[in-house]
Amino acid sequence: MEAEGPDAGLPPDREDVVAALLAHQRRFVAFVERRVGSRAVAEDLFQTAFARTLEKGGALKDGESAVAWFYRLLRNALVD
């Protein structure tokens, strides 16, 4: 039986990254919302960053957590 859902077909190490990011979704959106002043914009930015992560893969460095890496990605997206 094949796995279903947003992380279906990902290698096991990527599934862990996806699970960690989804577990922190509310915190990520709140982080962005405090900076942009709009919940809708914050949710859109999160979705865009998350989709990009799934499409292109992450650039996690050795010892870096997926959560810390995604916060860095969000900070960069806010600057852009």
Side-chain angles (χ1 to χ4, degrees):
M1 178 179 242
E2 290 186 26
E4 295 181 10
D7 55 351
L10 293 174
D13 60 328
R14 298 279 298 152
E15 288 178 8
D16 291 347
V17 168
V18 170
L21 297 180
L22 289 176
H24 288 82
Q25 180 176 354
R26 288 184 189 191
R27 290 184 205 142
F28 292 139
V29 172
F31 170 82
V32 175
E33 184 179 5
R34 284 191 302 274
R35 285 149 180 85
V36 298
S38 167
R39 179 78 173 181
V41 171
E43 288 176 356
D44 285 346
L45 189 71
F46 170 82
Q47 291 297 328
T48 301
F50 189 76
R52 184 172 292 165
T53 298
L54 293 178
E55 290 170 5
K56 297 185 178 182
L60 286 170
K61 298 175 184 171
D62 289 338
E64 184 177 31
S65 79
V67 172
W69 173 82
F70 199 74
Y71 273 117
R72 185 166 43 93
L73 182 76
L74 290 173
R75 280 188 209 96
N76 292 339
L78 286 166
V79 171
D80 292 342

